[in-house]
């Protein structure tokens, strides 16, 4: 399906675009089923927070309308919305009056082996560390070189995802996923106040767990806490939930809470 730029079919982009020049923008990767973008409100909420924190001017109702129209035309697959601060004037100085440029791309459904969800995955022990930047923490901004470098650390098919730590060795998230562990019935995920992407599926699973009366914690996670976890899984808004079976010399069974939340995620993504 053709890409759209500012609501019109296009196959070219301004060479002055700040997203290209400086990564000055945000993006959302949204599953589409039956012509409907899934978990749309959570995606748009994260995008709006990013625009607010980066002071990018955008018409959010227009973005919603264009997203719905594009998803209806795409029907099935993965929709990517890239929002940039438009053209650059000169250097880094942003133009506070510039209206965001909207780029919509349609991709086929992500073709992940079914075995990842069924049997679980091994995480590659990435040596690339996430840097501390509270001003950007949580946002799905366009500066993804840390993930690009981390993903280049492995080429084998044995590892479906990687695990990224921060500069002091805290467990943060996957390369394209968030991470949860379960210990004594408590669902735990990393505090992302310093780095990491606050995933839409992460937010939804925390909400669903709390709705089920399952205690949750958002805390700093050490490798020792990961080691002694009863269950570990990773998640994102495209594949849902993958149980984690191994990371370096550590290993875990697929646990009951992982399966419960995986079923919930699958239902949300099979809408
Ligand atoms: C990197 C992108 O998006 C991330 C990757 C996935 C995926 O590969 O399943 C899904 C959502 C995002 N975490 C992208 O290029 O869209
Ligand atoms: C670095 C990173 N962390 C986490 C996630 C999971 O985010 P979401 O659940 O919104 O797909 C993604 C996917 O966009 C990501 O790229």
């Amino acid at each position: 399906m053709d890409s759209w730029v500012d609501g019109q079919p296009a196959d070219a982009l301004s060479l002055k675009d700040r997203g290209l020049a400086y990564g000055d923008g945000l993006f959302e990767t949204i599953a589409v089923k039956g012509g409907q973008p899934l978990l749309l409100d959570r995606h748009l909420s994260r995008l709006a927070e990013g625009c607010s924190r980066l002071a990018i001017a955008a018409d959010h109702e227009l973005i919603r309308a264009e997203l719905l129209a594009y998803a209806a035309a795409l029907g099935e697959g993965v929709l990517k919305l890239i929002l940039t601060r438009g053209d650059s004037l000169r250097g880094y100085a942003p133009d506070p009056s510039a209206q965001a440029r909207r780029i919509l791309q349609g991709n086929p459904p992500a073709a992940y082996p079914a075995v990842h969800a069924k049997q679980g995955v091994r995480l590659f022990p990435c040596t690339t560390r996430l840097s501390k930047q509270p001003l950007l923490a949580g946002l799905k901004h366009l500066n993804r070189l840390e993930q690009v470098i981390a993903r280049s650390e492995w080429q084998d098919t044995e590892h479906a995802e990687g695990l990224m730590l921060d500069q002091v060795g805290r467990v943060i998230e996957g390369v394209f996923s968030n991470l949860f562990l379960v210990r004594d019935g408590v669902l735990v995920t990393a505090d992302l106040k310093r780095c990491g992407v606050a995933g839409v599926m992460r937010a939804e699973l925390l909400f669903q767990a709390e709705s089920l009366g399952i205690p949750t914690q958002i805390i700093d996670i050490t490798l020792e806490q990961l080691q002694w976890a009863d269950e570990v899984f990773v998640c994102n808004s495209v594949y849902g939930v993958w149980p984690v079976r191994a990371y370096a010399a550590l290993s875990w069974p697929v646990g009951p809470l992982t399966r419960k939340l995986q079923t919930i995620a699958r239902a949300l993504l099979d809408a």
Side-chain angles (χ1 to χ4, degrees), residues 27-29 78 80 110 112 140 175-177 236-239:
F27 72 109
E28 291 293 331
T29 308
V78 179
K80 189 162 175 180
Y112 295 115
K140 198 173 175 186
V175 176
F176 54 91
S177 317
N236 75 26
S237 56
V238 170
Y239 68 67

Side-chain angles (χ1 to χ4, degrees), residues 10-86:
D11 60 6
L13 189 65
S14 164
L15 291 179
K16 296 180 180 177
D17 187 89
R18 293 177 62 92
L20 172 65
Y22 308 125
D24 189 359
L26 301 149
F27 72 109
E28 291 293 331
T29 308
I30 305 173
V32 176
K33 187 98 173 171
Q36 295 294 320
L38 304 178
L39 298 170
L40 180 59
D41 287 345
R42 287 197 183 278
H43 282 285
L44 291 181
S45 172
R46 179 174 60 190
L47 186 76
E49 181 189 358
C51 287
S52 171
R53 285 171 56 183
L54 298 180
I56 294 178
D59 180 337
H60 293 280
E61 283 315 307
L62 176 59
I63 291 169
R64 176 185 288 270
E66 284 180 2
L67 257 172
L68 288 169
Y70 194 87
L74 180 65
E76 191 98 4
V78 179
L79 177 159
K80 189 162 175 180
L81 166 67
I82 300 173
L83 208 67
T84 79
R85 206 192 299 267

Side-chain angles (χ1 to χ4, degrees), residues 122-136:
R122 171 181 284 274
L123 299 183
F124 186 87
C126 295
T127 57
T128 307
R129 294 288 182 262
L130 290 166
S131 52
K132 175 182 177 181
Q133 181 39 281
L135 291 176
L136 298 176

Side-chain angles (χ1 to χ4, degrees), residues 26-250:
L26 301 149
F27 72 109
E28 291 293 331
T29 308
I30 305 173
V32 176
K33 187 98 173 171
Q36 295 294 320
L38 304 178
L39 298 170
L40 180 59
D41 287 345
R42 287 197 183 278
H43 282 285
L44 291 181
S45 172
R46 179 174 60 190
L47 186 76
E49 181 189 358
C51 287
S52 171
R53 285 171 56 183
L54 298 180
I56 294 178
D59 180 337
H60 293 280
E61 283 315 307
L62 176 59
I63 291 169
R64 176 185 288 270
E66 284 180 2
L67 257 172
L68 288 169
Y70 194 87
L74 180 65
E76 191 98 4
V78 179
L79 177 159
K80 189 162 175 180
L81 166 67
I82 300 173
L83 208 67
T84 79
R85 206 192 299 267
D87 283 355
S88 182
L89 298 174
R90 176 72 185 82
Y92 292 136
D95 173 1
S97 66
Q99 275 296 313
R101 176 169 285 132
R102 308 170 309 276
I103 302 157
L104 283 165
Q105 300 168 324
N107 299 290
Y112 295 115
V115 68
H116 291 353
K118 187 169 179 57
Q119 295 180 6
V121 298
R122 171 181 284 274
L123 299 183
F124 186 87
C126 295
T127 57
T128 307
R129 294 288 182 262
L130 290 166
S131 52
K132 175 182 177 181
Q133 181 39 281
L135 291 176
L136 298 176
L139 301 184
K140 198 173 175 186
H141 54 73
L142 290 176
N143 296 217
R144 291 292 140 211
L145 279 180
E146 289 176 332
Q147 282 75 27
V148 170
I149 296 167
R151 186 61 190 87
S152 72
E153 289 187 48
W154 81 94
Q155 287 75 39
D156 61 59
T157 55
E158 180 193 0
H159 301 87
E161 200 5 343
L163 179 61
M164 298 190 77
L165 313 180
D166 69 6
Q167 303 286 339
V168 297
R170 299 181 189 95
V171 173
I172 302 300
E173 60 175 353
V175 176
F176 54 91
S177 317
N178 290 111
L179 178 136
F180 284 86
L181 64 85
V182 182
R183 177 71 176 169
D184 296 334
V186 180
L187 183 67
V188 181
T189 196
D191 188 333
L192 303 178
K193 61 176 174 282
R194 308 177 188 89
C195 57
V197 170
V200 158
M201 188 55 77
R202 171 182 180 270
E204 182 64 27
L205 292 180
L206 284 167
F207 167 76
Q208 294 286 344
E210 286 154 14
S211 304
L212 292 169
I214 297 165
T216 62
Q217 288 181 343
I218 300 175
I219 57 173
D220 289 344
I221 300 173
T222 65
L223 278 172
E224 188 177 14
Q225 286 169 291
L226 186 68
Q227 176 177 0
W228 298 113
D230 301 316
E231 309 176 32
V232 181
F233 64 87
V234 289
C235 66
N236 75 26
S237 56
V238 170
Y239 68 67
V241 169
W242 288 342
V244 173
R245 301 303 305 280
Y247 165 72
L250 305 181

